[in-house]
Amino acid sequence: MERRYTLAVDIGASSGRHILGSVQDGKIVLEEVYRFENGVSEKNGHLCWDFERLFAEIINGMKRCKELGKVPSSMGIDTWGVDFVLLDQDEKVLGDTVAYRDPRTAGMDAEVSKIISMEELYARTGIQKQSFNTIYQLMAVKKEHPEYLARAKRFLMTPEYFHYLLTGVGMNEYTLATTTQLVNAKAKTWDRELMAMLGLPEEIFGELNLPGTEVGSLLPEIAKEVGFDCKVVLPGTHDTASAVLAVPKSQENAMYISSGTWSLIGVERMEPDCSEQSRTLNFTNEGGYGYRFRYLKNIMGLWMIQSVRREFKAQGIQYSFDDLCDLAIKAGDFPSRVDVSDECFLAPKSMIAEVKDFCARTGQKVPANNEELMACIYQSLAEGYRKAVREMEEVVGISVPCIHIVGGGSKDWYLNELTAKVTGKTVYSGPSEATALGNILAQMIAAGEYSGVEDARKAVAASFAVKEIRPQP
């Protein structure tokens, strides 16, 4: 029987990759065929993504599939959440493709609060307040460029826009839409009453579609360029939705950490919790596969470590991630801690300086060398995990037996060990390519290769090695 390939294009804040999935001897096999860099740059006074270059890289990776003789029967794209484009009547992007780390949303929470209270907004949407949520970005657009909203005919989020460029079909997807803070959690669709209250043009927001929905075939010119045609199928286009689909849960009530640039810590639930207690603790109810809810807390993840590593490199010091772990270990239990969820760490000019400044202004010992700096960051991340786990257990009313860490951060052995130690929970790390895997699983379920979520997760457990880390005193 001819081998069937499924393509996941998984684009993160720092890089993107094309990964082919197939089933061999009953096990899922992943193969990375193309990788490219991503990042923001300043344009017209804002931090922006280069969507034109990213789409060119999507095409390059598809060409690579053809060169290898491994043509996918379907493909889907996932990315980070909250960012979007507005298209005019000629299907052209209005303005720059501004990134969520741009400070244009400063003060927009106050503007929204003049219209609807934070309590009522959470009761409707169940979404954690973060300054970069789409609702605040759109209010920034309304304030800075109201003409864009006046001319807009279509709202598409990042991967939806790339799907549109591939197929000519503009289709909004449910899991990603929930990150906008414009979806009613209980109704599971756009809150058009909220949009009207905010003065947003409701007609630009299309029907919400679930992962597994077929978008369409490649446009003729795209098929000619890449050398093949295939279906484009919606995965969980929000990368965390895809990652959570690939969690090989071993026990009931297991918690997950989707670990990458951000750390998403949570449990899977079938109903949202839009209570005031949940809002006060800053938990969020993001949409998942099949209308499941990713009840989680979004905190700073490896972004801090990645940023410091880039700074060291700019100074001419080449540290691998393992080197950074070794530095932290040498400093031992350095006493100072920073609040990893503080917005001062969102996009500082210097992460190293920001960590030191935080310690100084909170009356703590300031890291005096690279070893102490890394110990402070690692211990602070683990402490952030511990706090989130305890709060999650309290609000959900369960005792979590273990934590599954998936995504690129699952390879950070030192952080995994610290997590097991400070939480007192057994940690299972892997698979590392959970986002791409979940993307592929959604397509495979749609194609009938797996009967549903549980069947797909069993296949994950049987296909990928997972490391067990027990808490050490």
Side-chain angles (χ1 to χ4, degrees):
M1 184 177 178
E2 186 178 352
R3 194 166 166 187
R4 182 183 184 277
Y5 291 99
T6 303
L7 174 63
V9 182
D10 170 32
I11 308 177
S14 59
S15 67
R17 60 210 59 82
H18 289 59
I19 295 182
L20 288 169
S22 59
V23 178
Q24 282 183 286
D25 301 323
K27 293 187 176 182
I28 302 169
V29 177
L30 300 181
E31 179 185 358
E32 181 181 306
V33 296
Y34 191 74
R35 180 174 286 263
F36 54 94
E37 293 185 355
N38 189 23
V40 296
S41 58
E42 191 164 327
K43 181 180 179 183
N44 297 324
H46 291 291
L47 295 176
C48 297
W49 303 109
D50 187 346
F51 279 5
E52 185 175 341
R53 185 185 67 79
L54 287 180
F55 186 66
E57 294 287 19
I58 291 170
I59 296 298
N60 288 339
M62 294 170 69
K63 289 178 179 178
R64 181 59 180 158
C65 293
K66 176 64 174 179
E67 291 169 3
L68 294 171
K70 299 177 179 180
V71 172
S73 56
S74 70
M75 67 171 291
I77 303 170
D78 66 77
T79 72
W80 62 93
V82 304
D83 286 344
F84 61 92
V85 296
L86 298 173
L87 301 183
D88 65 15
Q89 62 181 3
D90 297 319
E91 306 294 342
K92 302 298 183 184
V93 176
L94 290 160
D96 296 323
T97 47
V98 180
Y100 65 87
R101 292 190 188 276
D102 184 81
R104 68 175 173 168
T105 55
M108 291 302 105
D109 55 343
E111 293 299 315
V112 171
S113 293
K114 292 175 184 176
I115 300 167
I116 181 172
S117 70
M118 292 296 104
E119 292 83 359
E120 185 183 349
L121 183 60
Y122 189 87
R124 283 175 174 267
T125 67
I127 294 299
Q128 173 185 15
K129 179 192 171 185
Q130 296 185 109
S131 63
F132 49 73
N133 286 351
T134 315
I135 189 173
Y136 302 122
Q137 292 198 49
L138 283 167
M139 292 303 284
V141 172
K142 185 179 177 184
K143 182 177 181 180
E144 187 176 355
H145 290 288
E147 71 277 12
Y148 292 167
L149 286 172
R151 292 167 52 196
K153 298 300 180 184
R154 191 191 303 266
F155 167 94
L156 294 175
M157 302 188 78
T158 304
E160 299 167 348
Y161 175 58
F162 293 142
H163 285 156
Y164 166 74
L165 294 178
L166 289 172
T167 66
V169 178
M171 186 177 287
N172 294 125
E173 189 269 320
Y174 168 71
T175 71
L176 196 62
T178 62
T179 71
T180 64
Q181 212 171 357
L182 290 168
V183 171
N184 186 292
K186 292 174 181 154
K188 303 180 180 70
T189 190
W190 295 118
D191 191 328
R192 297 190 182 276
E193 184 180 39
L194 174 60
M195 292 173 180
M197 292 167 63
L198 297 171
L200 300 176
E202 303 168 47
E203 66 277 4
I204 69 176
F205 299 89
E207 177 186 353
L208 295 183
N209 297 273
L210 288 176
T213 302
E214 183 177 332
V215 181
S217 298
L218 300 180
L219 289 167
E221 59 269 29
I222 299 292
K224 182 179 180 181
E225 184 175 2
V226 300
F228 62 86
D229 192 9
C230 72
K231 294 179 181 178
V232 174
V233 175
L234 292 178
T237 55
H238 186 216
D239 48 14
T240 310
S242 281
V244 171
L245 179 57
V247 173
K249 291 185 180 178
S250 60
Q251 299 184 45
E252 193 68 23
N253 293 331
M255 193 174 291
Y256 60 79
I257 301 178
S258 178
S259 180
T261 300
W262 292 90
S263 290
L264 299 309
I265 304 174
V267 294
E268 193 171 62
R269 309 179 80 180
M270 294 309 295
E271 296 295 333
D273 181 349
C274 301
S275 68
E276 183 60 14
Q277 179 192 25
S278 181
R279 184 193 73 83
T280 303
L281 290 171
N282 217 20
F283 283 103
T284 199
N285 296 267
E286 294 179 350
Y289 185 93
Y291 288 130
R292 290 164 173 79
F293 285 91
R294 295 173 282 127
Y295 188 63
L296 56 84
K297 176 165 282 192
N298 186 347
I299 67 173
M300 204 75 70
L302 300 186
W303 165 249
M304 297 182 73
I305 297 170
Q306 293 164 349
S307 298
V308 169
R309 182 170 178 253
R310 282 193 293 270
E311 283 190 62
F312 285 147
K313 185 177 180 181
Q315 297 169 12
I317 309 171
Q318 294 279 0
Y319 283 130
S320 68
F321 287 107
D322 281 344
D323 291 335
L324 296 178
C325 292
D326 291 338
L327 289 175
I329 292 170
K330 286 178 184 177
D333 190 15
F334 183 74
S336 301
R337 303 287 184 269
V338 300
D339 178 0
V340 296
S341 294
D342 194 295
E343 290 194 0
C344 68
F345 300 118
L346 188 61
K349 291 183 178 179
S350 168
M351 185 66 73
I352 294 172
E354 200 64 52
V355 170
K356 291 180 178 180
D357 287 349
F358 188 99
C359 291
R361 65 178 179 265
T362 53
Q364 301 181 82
K365 182 179 179 181
V366 176
N369 52 46
N370 293 347
E371 288 82 358
E372 291 181 350
L373 175 74
M374 294 314 304
C376 178
I377 293 174
Y378 267 106
Q379 296 284 355
S380 297
L381 283 170
E383 178 60 25
Y385 291 177
R386 185 200 66 78
K387 186 174 181 234
V389 168
R390 294 289 180 264
E391 290 174 344
M392 180 70 70
E393 289 183 316
E394 177 184 345
V395 73
V396 178
I398 60 173
S399 178
V400 175
C402 60
I403 303 171
H404 287 274
I405 301 181
V406 299
S410 68
K411 294 185 286 189
D412 194 316
W413 55 271
Y414 182 54
L415 184 55
N416 294 342
E417 289 179 0
L418 284 177
T419 301
K421 179 180 178 180
V422 302
T423 63
K425 311 290 185 184
T426 297
V427 166
Y428 296 97
S429 63
S432 62
E433 289 290 359
T435 301
L437 177 57
N439 181 326
I440 287 165
L441 290 176
Q443 297 181 62
M444 287 183 168
I445 293 171
E449 292 188 65
Y450 296 108
S451 60
V453 174
E454 296 309 317
D455 190 26
R457 284 177 172 160
K458 286 178 183 177
V460 173
S463 302
F464 299 93
V466 174
K467 184 178 180 181
E468 181 179 343
I469 305 163
R470 294 191 176 275
Q472 299 296 322

